[in-house]
Amino acid sequence: MTAYALAHLYPEGLPGEEVLDYIARIQSTMDPYEGRFLVHNTPVEVVEGDWPGALVVIAFPTIEATRAWYASPAYQELLPLRTRHMAADVVFVEGVGPDYDASATAAGMRAAALPEAGQVTRSPGED
C-alpha cells in the first residue's frame, strides 16, 4: 500500500545555502526507497483555516520503505541541513486502496459508536 511522508514546513525568509544543499541532495536519499515527490515547492491554496508555511508530500511504495528512508544513514546525515534552519511537522501515513469506500468507514464508525439496542454500556472504571 502506498504510504506518504508529509511535512508542514515553517520557513523563515529565503532558504540559506544549507537548506538549498538539502533540497539539492534529498532525491538521492529517496531513490533507493522508490520515493518520489508529489508536492514540493508548490504554493498552497488555503480554503479553510490557516496554513502558514509550505507543504511537502513524498510517496513511497510502503510504510516500511517510508520509515527506512527516514532512518537511513544518508537521510539522517542530510536532515540537520534543514532542521537547523526550519521548523517542521512531519508525519507518515498509509494511503487507502483503490476500492476504499468512505461510506463503509462511516458505517463502521457508527456501529462502534452506537451500541446495539438493549446492550448496556459501562463507563471506564465501572465493574
Side-chain angles (χ1 to χ4, degrees):
M1 179 73 57
T2 302
Y4 305 91
L6 293 94
H8 183 182
L9 304 172
Y10 304 92
E12 294 184 15
L14 296 174
E17 190 56 40
E18 281 195 335
V19 174
L20 294 172
D21 192 28
Y22 170 90
I23 293 168
R25 295 171 48 196
I26 190 171
Q27 185 66 52
S28 66
T29 70
M30 295 165 29
D31 288 344
Y33 305 94
E34 300 179 51
R36 64 185 180 89
F37 283 103
L38 298 181
V39 176
H40 193 235
N41 196 34
T42 306
V44 298
E45 179 179 343
V46 180
V47 295
E48 289 187 34
D50 187 33
W51 190 276
L55 175 67
V56 174
V57 180
I58 304 170
F60 291 89
T62 64
I63 194 72
E64 293 81 13
T66 309
R67 292 179 184 131
W69 161 73
Y70 191 86
S72 71
Y75 185 66
Q76 287 299 303
E77 178 184 320
L78 190 62
L79 185 57
L81 298 179
R82 179 187 55 77
T83 59
R84 282 195 289 261
H85 305 283
M86 189 181 305
D89 300 311
V90 178
V91 298
F92 300 157
V93 62
E94 285 187 291
V96 296
D99 297 330
Y100 176 77
D101 180 350
S103 64
T105 298
M109 293 170 80
R110 274 194 187 97
L114 302 173
E116 292 185 36
Q119 182 180 356
V120 177
T121 60
R122 297 176 185 247
S123 299
E126 288 184 348
D127 289 319

